[in-house]
Structures are given as C-alpha cells and as structure tokens.
Amino acid sequence: MAIKHYLQVSDLTLDEYDYLMQRARIIKDRFKKYEPYHPLLDRTLVMVFEKNSTRTRLSFEAGMHQLGGAAIYLNTRDSQLGRGEPVEDAGQVMSRMCDIIMIRTFEQEMIEKFAANSRVPVINGLTNQHHPCQVFADVFTFIEHRGSIAGKKVAWIGDANNMLYSWMQAAKVFGFHLHISTPKGYDIDPACVTVEPEHYTVFDNPSDACVGVDAVNTDVWTSMGYEAENQARLKAFDGWIVDEAKMARANPEAIFMHCLPAHRGEEVSAGVIDGPQSVVWDEAENRLHVQKALLEYLVIGKVTN
C-alpha cells in the first residue's frame, strides 16, 4: 500500500472512516475481553513531542504495545530537532528506523514538511491548526452513544482553535452540521477553513448555537502556547461557559463533549461535565481504540480478522 499520512481529518475518506470505525469497535471489544491481538509484532512507532501530553502519549504508547509493537518516546528538547536539525533531515533519518511516526507539535507546516520527507506514515498527534485523532475519537464516541452522526447538529462553543478546525472538516466528511460560537476577537481564521459554508453556521450568541443540537462541544479557553493571553481570554470568554442553561437548549438526548483537560467553572460547569449528558471519559478512552485501528491501517492496510 502506498504511504498514507494522517495529518488532518480530511486526509481520509468516509469509506475509510467507516472501515476504521468498524475496526475500532472490534479492537475495543477485544481489549475489553482481554484478548491478545498483535498485528504489529516487531513494528515500531516513534512518538515525537514538542508539546506536553497526557492522553496522546498514553493512548499511542499503550496502543502500540497492545498491538504487539514497540513505542519510542522522543522529546524535541532531548533530540537534535531541538538543536536546529532541519525537519526535512529528521524525517529522512527517523523514517529509516521505524514503521510509523506520530508528532505532537506547534505548527502544521512542520509536520507537513516532515511527512513529505518520511518513508513511513506520519500521524498528527496535535498541531495549532488541527487535532484529527481527537475529533476521530469524538465522532466514534458520538456514534457509540447516539448512532450515525450524519444529518445531526453539533455545537462548538469557545475558541476558534485546532479542535474547531478539525470539527469543521469532520462536518463535511461525515455529513453533519456544525454550529459555531466564538467570542469577538477569537473568531474563525479564514486561512484555516477548508470546508464550504454550507457545513457550518456561525452564531454571535453561544446559547443560540446550542438550540436543537445533538452534541455540545467545547475546549479550554487558553490552549498550550497561549498562556500569556490567559487573563485577557478569561475576560473575553465571559458568557461562553457551557452550563446547564445552554445544555437545556439542546435536544433532550444531546451529549456533552470535551477533549480534556477541563477547567470547571471556566469553559464548562461542574454540573455539565460531571452530569448525565457528559461522555468525556468515553471520549478519552476512545483515543486508545481509534488510534489502534489507525495504526493498524496505516502500517499494514485493511484486515478482515
């Protein structure tokens, strides 16, 4: 199979996602039954981190071991990348020594350059512009709880960040509609939008964005790399908390989603994230299962067992 990278949600087709969703369900079921499954025996994943991580590192490292392979952790502070080695050179060297690479970094341009010079598949573990693995897990989680997401409505309340841009691409791929509400000054960057306007609607009022939706989604107000803006963001985002009043405007069966970590009392109330509509812990766990399906697919292609 030709090398395929996963750098943003739109890199895979709906047919590929349908296959991967099926594989993730099978792999998750095996995990729950403690059934060994080692399709990536003697294969190696290299994980390159420029940003801190909990869920990304744990899910990829544990996932690769559970598939029978090995995972190697590299931090840019401890490697030649942190000393100015060209990204293109790093891509050439690392990809000669492993079977697949995951990178969690700042700029999308960096991971695009790396992938262009890699002999093996590259996965985006997070950049400032995209977080495809998280949104893949989120869509999988929605389907687990509510069935097909096609034709549904999902609200995004908060910052126009990497999660939002990945959700926008997912709306096009999976055929749902996205309601977006961001504070003034933190609006969508047109340069990051890759989908047509018919896939989303922008609302000035975050409560209005929640009306009639099937899921409400948010993220921290201050993402990694923007800590210096924290006080200004706390002021600007006042009123954008996902609380019980906003959830009450969604459909009665609507679920609440958050990629974590969460700040109770800021972007979400404790009553919502810890309440009966929240699926955040399933989202977190599902990173493991969908990424195992992704690793299997990118390394060895489609399987039938």
Side-chain angles (χ1 to χ4, degrees):
M1 186 174 71
I3 295 174
K4 177 177 278 293
H5 305 297
Y6 189 57
L7 308 183
Q8 48 189 309
V9 170
S10 60
D11 284 344
L12 297 178
T13 66
L14 181 58
D15 285 344
E16 287 176 303
Y17 278 114
D18 286 343
Y19 165 79
L20 287 168
M21 296 286 182
Q22 178 187 19
R23 289 303 301 165
R25 284 191 290 271
I26 292 171
I27 288 170
K28 182 175 182 177
D29 185 59
R30 284 174 167 158
F31 175 80
K32 297 296 185 181
K33 293 178 179 177
Y34 296 95
E35 293 180 3
Y37 179 58
H38 299 150
L40 300 187
L41 187 66
D42 291 332
R43 303 297 183 100
T44 303
L45 164 70
V46 168
M47 307 180 300
V48 181
F49 286 87
E50 192 170 19
K51 284 190 173 187
N52 295 334
S53 170
T54 299
R55 280 152 292 275
T56 297
R57 179 176 179 182
L58 182 58
S59 56
F60 271 107
E61 191 163 346
M64 192 64 180
H65 284 300
Q66 291 165 16
L67 293 174
I72 298 173
Y73 173 84
L74 286 179
N75 192 294
T76 53
R77 293 189 300 270
D78 307 320
S79 67
Q80 295 298 338
L81 270 172
R83 299 181 65 245
E85 180 174 23
V87 171
E88 295 87 346
D89 293 359
Q92 291 276 359
V93 172
M94 290 184 192
S95 64
R96 288 171 178 255
M97 300 183 184
C98 65
D99 301 282
I100 189 166
I101 298 168
M102 185 280 299
I103 301 177
R104 183 177 172 93
T105 187
F106 288 91
E107 294 303 321
Q108 185 76 10
E109 182 182 9
M110 181 274 199
I111 202 169
E112 299 279 356
K113 287 182 179 178
F114 191 103
N117 289 274
S118 175
R119 294 184 171 200
V120 300
V122 176
I123 297 174
N124 181 357
L126 176 143
T127 63
N128 286 351
Q129 292 77 31
H130 296 282
H131 200 354
C133 290
Q134 180 65 58
V135 172
F136 181 6
D138 291 351
V139 173
F140 180 81
T141 304
F142 183 96
I143 293 171
E144 274 193 323
H145 283 267
R146 296 292 183 263
S148 174
I149 197 170
K152 300 295 177 58
K153 295 178 181 178
V154 176
W156 176 267
I157 310 299
D159 194 15
N161 62 8
N162 50 8
M163 282 293 296
L164 171 57
Y165 298 126
S166 287
W167 268 108
M168 292 176 78
Q169 290 190 356
K172 180 177 181 177
V173 172
F174 291 97
F176 61 88
H177 196 80
L178 193 64
H179 288 191
I180 301 169
S181 184
T182 61
K184 293 188 184 303
Y186 299 89
D187 312 287
I188 296 170
D189 180 357
C192 295
V193 176
T194 59
V195 303
E196 297 78 13
E198 60 261 31
H199 299 291
Y200 63 93
T201 303
V202 177
F203 294 80
D204 292 332
N205 187 320
S207 293
D208 292 342
C210 295
V211 174
V213 300
D214 303 286
V216 179
N217 208 319
T218 192
D219 194 4
V220 294
W221 290 343
T222 306
S223 298
M224 282 180 289
Y226 300 93
E227 288 81 2
E229 303 176 8
N230 187 53
Q231 291 305 312
R233 284 173 173 263
L234 288 177
K235 183 177 180 180
F237 283 70
D238 184 38
W240 263 260
I241 183 173
V242 177
D243 54 17
E244 289 84 345
K246 290 186 181 65
M247 289 300 299
R249 304 198 74 185
N251 285 336
E253 297 298 315
I255 58 176
F256 171 74
M257 311 185 85
H258 193 307
C259 62
L260 303 178
H263 297 153
R264 290 166 177 81
E266 289 186 13
E267 76 274 5
V268 61
S269 69
V272 169
I273 193 171
D274 298 318
Q277 292 174 280
S278 175
V279 297
V280 300
W281 315 121
D282 290 338
E283 285 179 79
E285 179 190 335
N286 283 335
R287 287 286 302 276
L288 172 69
H289 308 304
V290 301
Q291 287 165 193
K292 286 167 72 174
L294 185 64
L295 288 166
E296 177 188 67
Y297 177 61
L298 294 180
V299 174
I300 62 176
K302 289 186 176 183
V303 298
T304 58
N305 61 315

